[in-house]
Amino acid sequence: SPEIGACKPDPAAYQALLAELKLHPEEVLLVDDMPENCAAARRFGIKAVQAFDPNTTMKHVLVELVGAQDTKRPASSGPSRVL
């Protein structure tokens, strides 16, 4: 983004986001349709899910967030914060 002088997949873009949100990489999940952006986020320590169709993407997001293998009934992990 022009505001930070970097864009995905540049690691500076991820660093700027983490700094602004005051989060650690392991507290963030990136959902993106570009495989190179997902790969860069993972190298930075951020969980990432590549977006395809809505149903498949949501199943992958649930697995990343709660570790659910059976995404029809994901395990409850208590309240969560989605940005």
Side-chain angles (χ1 to χ4, degrees):
S1 132
E3 294 85 25
I4 62 170
C7 60
K8 299 178 292 183
D10 184 339
Y14 301 107
Q15 182 62 47
L17 173 69
L18 294 172
E20 183 170 326
L21 296 175
K22 296 178 177 66
L23 294 171
H24 299 282
E26 62 275 6
E27 297 174 303
V28 176
L29 172 66
L30 171 76
V31 178
D32 197 293
D33 63 336
M34 303 297 293
E36 58 270 18
N37 293 341
C38 292
R42 287 185 193 108
R43 285 191 298 274
F44 201 75
I46 296 171
K47 293 178 185 173
V49 170
Q50 186 177 351
F52 293 102
D53 64 89
N55 289 332
T56 302
T57 301
M58 194 60 187
K59 288 178 185 177
H60 289 281
V61 166
L62 287 172
V63 168
E64 287 295 332
L65 290 177
V66 298
Q69 296 303 311
D70 177 6
T71 56
K72 292 179 184 171
R73 299 185 67 199
S76 174
S77 62
S80 62
R81 187 172 105 185
V82 178
L83 303 173

